[in-house]
């Protein structure tokens, strides 16, 4: 088998080049990932449910219930094999959960009356959780979709810093020298995670596709070797069978009456050998019938010759008294009447 060029080996594989086995295994892998991610998100939402109920705020409770509802819808679509829809729903669960969590903290929902309103310093790590949506996108959707999800997350982070009300503590923090790092950290995290995840998933899929192609080529080579072996065995059987049939026909032509072909049943010329045996049997019966016919003709000729010779010998034999037939006595001129009283004239 020829080695593929390096440039062709490193190029992405098109969908038409992927085997049905690889596509089916990739679909099964995505379905298993969906099941795992769904389980993790549902457990996370259930853990957040008691806290949302203790906060006694409609927004927090609605966030958790919305996440559970989206997980239920994603589970239903997963049963029908709609993995793309399931991936989008899971991304919405993560992004909406983080967004509503930030909005709840920003507008003071659930806080005490004496507490300040606005986005606090403690809420900044929530922005880092947005990378979960990138990981879901790169795992369940086409790998390039991670950049679209990352871009939307970056725009959301910028909007949070630009438009969401801040607490006094966060204002003091943003006026310090650490403000640049606080803003750039979630943005850089989105870019780095998106690029690394894309490269890793793309290389993994290419490696799996090449492995699948190598397995398919190995199977094809195995089938080709098996076909060549069967072809060689078939050619050997043809050669042996034809040689055996030729010897049988030569021996039959030389006068061997009882010669017959004896090919095994697995030989490809077995049926031809049976036909040759049938032909030889019929020729033998024809020869026997012809021999019997010749014998009958010779016997007929011999009997005919004997009858002819006997007739000829009877014609040339001298006449003898014994051989002449007896003549009947002459009829008298008159016959005496049996009645004595009547005169015969």
């Amino acid at each position: 088998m020829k080695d593929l060029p390096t440039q062709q080996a490193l190029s992405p594989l098109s969908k038409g080049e992927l085997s049905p086995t690889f596509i089916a295994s990739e679909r099964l892998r995505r379905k298993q990932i969906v099941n795992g991610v769904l389980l993790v998100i549902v457990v996370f939402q259930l853990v957040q449910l008691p806290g949302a109920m203790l906060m006694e705020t409609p927004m927090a409770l609605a966030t958790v219930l919305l996440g559970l509802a989206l997980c239920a819808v994603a589970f239903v679509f997963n049963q029908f094999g709609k993995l793309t829809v399931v991936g989008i729903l899971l991304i919405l669960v993560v992004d909406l959960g983080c967004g509503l969590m930030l909005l709840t903290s920003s507008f003071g929902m659930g806080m005490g009356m004496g507490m300040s309103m606005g986005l606090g310093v403690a809420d900044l790590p929530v922005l880092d959780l947005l990378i979960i949506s990138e990981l879901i996108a790169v795992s369940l959707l086409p790998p390039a979709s991670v950049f679209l999800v990352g871009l939307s997350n970056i725009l959301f982070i910028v909007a949070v810093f630009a438009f969401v009300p801040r607490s006094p503590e966060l204002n003091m923090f943003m006026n310090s020298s650490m403000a640049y790092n606080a803003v750039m950290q979630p943005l850089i995290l989105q870019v780095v995670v998106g690029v690394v995840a894309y490269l890793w998933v793309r290389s993994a899929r290419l490696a799996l596709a090449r492995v699948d192609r190598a397995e398919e080529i190995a199977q094809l080579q195995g089938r080709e070797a098996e076909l060549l072996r069967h072809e060689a065995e078939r050619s050997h059987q043809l050669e042996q069978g034809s040689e055996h049939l030729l010897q049988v026909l030569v021996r039959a032509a030389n006068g061997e009456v009882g010669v017959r072909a004896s090919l095994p049943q697995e030989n490809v010329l077995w049926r031809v050998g049976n036909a040759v045996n049938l032909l030889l049997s019929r020729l033998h019966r024809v020869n026997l019938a012809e021999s019997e016919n010749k014998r009958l003709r010779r016997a007929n000729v011999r009997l005919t010759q004997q009858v002819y010779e006997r007739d000829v010998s009877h014609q040339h034999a001298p006449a003898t008294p014994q051989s002449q037939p007896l003549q009947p006595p002459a009829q008298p001129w008159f016959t005496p009447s049996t009645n004595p009283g009547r005169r015969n004239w």
Side-chain angles (χ1 to χ4, degrees), residues 221-234:
Q221 289 178 346
R223 294 175 185 175
E224 185 179 1
E226 187 70 15
L227 290 175
L228 291 176
R229 186 180 67 82
H230 283 299
E231 189 66 24
E233 183 178 357
R234 184 183 181 89

Side-chain angles (χ1 to χ4, degrees), residues 154-168:
I154 290 173
L155 294 177
F156 176 75
I157 293 171
V158 172
V160 167
F161 281 108
F163 303 107
V164 174
R166 306 173 188 171
S167 64

Side-chain angles (χ1 to χ4, degrees), residues 22 26 29 141-143 200-210:
F22 175 76
E26 181 68 14
R29 181 191 66 84
L141 302 177
W200 180 78
V201 172
R202 180 174 176 273
S203 62
R205 294 186 65 182
L206 288 176
L208 290 176
R210 291 191 183 97

Side-chain angles (χ1 to χ4, degrees), residues 68-87:
L68 291 175
L70 290 177
C71 289
V73 175
F75 179 79
V76 173
F77 278 104
N78 187 35
Q79 298 302 315
F80 290 99
K82 305 296 183 180
L83 300 180
T84 302
V85 179
V86 174

